């Protein structure tokens, strides 16, 4: 049996300590830890929810901006042609950012730089782009094509893929293609046709680079490169 001290003061001290201990135990048992939940999306002043992100369209493109973009990517290794309608913009690869397409000529003094195997851009032939036939369940890939090289005074199509809401104007926009045998211009942006044989599903959200003169045709993104198709006569 527990024997309490003989003095009244000691008894009162033990009594108060006991009451305090019981209170602390009761508080710890009844207090609940608040768990962190997802951050709520704030509604606008009129009570509506914010809209989902949408594709940001570029402002009208100027020749100065085009030349600046070409210099940022190719550092003077190509120069835009002087013909009319030599550049156009649109979301050609279906990622939601505006891209830039420009008809260019190589700079003769920088052909070695332009064709360097470790360059930041890809040189490809639009007539050799592989597009899998839609009717075959088993697809055999063709032999890997030979590396392409740009030639002096050759007409090329430079395509700079955009990055984020600022598209091809963004300094982080670095992915670029130099497309050989892509027509002779002029070029314009058009919505993708309803059906393009062998095209990826993303073409439904993409634009094409259309050439109305000569033999009308267009270039579309296959998912890895640009392919040429003759425009339908219908």
């Amino acid at each position: 049996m527990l024997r309490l001290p003989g003095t009244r003061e000691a008894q009162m001290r033990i009594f108060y300590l006991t009451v305090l201990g019981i209170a602390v135990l009761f508080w710890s048992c009844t207090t609940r830890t608040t768990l962190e939940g997802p951050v709520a999306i704030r509604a606008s002043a009129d009570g509506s929810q914010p809209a989902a992100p949408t594709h940001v369209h570029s402002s009208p493109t100027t020749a100065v901006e085009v030349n600046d973009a070409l210099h940022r990517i190719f550092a003077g290794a190509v120069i835009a042609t002087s013909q009319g309608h030599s550049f156009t913009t649109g979301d050609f690869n279906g990622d939601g950012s505006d891209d830039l397409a420009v008809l260019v000529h190589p700079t003769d003094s920088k052909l070695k730089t332009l064709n360097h195997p470790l360059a930041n851009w890809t040189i490809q032939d639009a007539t050799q782009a592989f597009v899998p036939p839609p009717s075959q369940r088993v697809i055999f890939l063709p032999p890997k094509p030979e590396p392409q090289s740009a030639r002096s005074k050759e007409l090329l199509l430079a395509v700079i893929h955009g990055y984020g809401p600022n598209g091809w104007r963004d300094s982080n926009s670095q992915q670029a293609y130099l497309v050989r045998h892509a027509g002779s211009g002029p070029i314009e942006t058009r919505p993708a046709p309803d059906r393009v044989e062998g095209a990826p599903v993303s073409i439904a959200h993409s634009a094409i680079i259309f050439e109305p003169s000569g033999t009308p045709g267009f270039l579309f993104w296959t998912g890895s490169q640009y392919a040429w198709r003759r425009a339908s006569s219908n």
Side-chain angles (χ1 to χ4, degrees), residues 68-74 93 95 97-100 120 159-176:
D68 287 346
L70 290 176
H71 190 270
R72 184 185 76 235
I73 301 297
F74 301 103
N93 63 343
D95 66 350
S97 291
D98 277 335
D99 310 313
L100 173 68
N120 290 329
V159 183
I160 300 174
H161 284 172
Y163 178 85
N166 292 325
W168 56 272
R169 293 181 172 94
D170 196 302
S171 59
N172 292 309
S173 170
Q174 297 292 327
Q175 188 182 50

Side-chain angles (χ1 to χ4, degrees), residues 57-66 87 89 98 168-169:
H57 295 278
S58 292
S59 57
T61 306
T62 67
V64 172
E65 290 178 312
V66 170
F87 61 83
T89 63
D98 277 335
W168 56 272
R169 293 181 172 94

Side-chain angles (χ1 to χ4, degrees), residues 142-146:
K144 186 177 180 179
E146 293 294 325

Side-chain angles (χ1 to χ4, degrees), residues 176-201:
Y177 291 79
L178 288 172
V179 187
R180 304 183 65 220
H181 302 137
S184 58
I187 58 176
E188 60 187 56
T189 299
R190 290 192 182 182
D194 292 335
R195 293 184 61 186
V196 178
E197 183 178 353
V201 176

Side-chain angles (χ1 to χ4, degrees), residues 201-213:
V201 176
S202 61
I203 196 171
H205 309 288
S206 306
I208 60 171
I209 305 168
F210 190 80
E211 300 192 17
S213 301

Side-chain angles (χ1 to χ4, degrees), residues 45-58:
D46 59 0
S48 61
Q49 295 294 332
T54 56
H55 174 69
V56 178
H57 295 278
S58 292

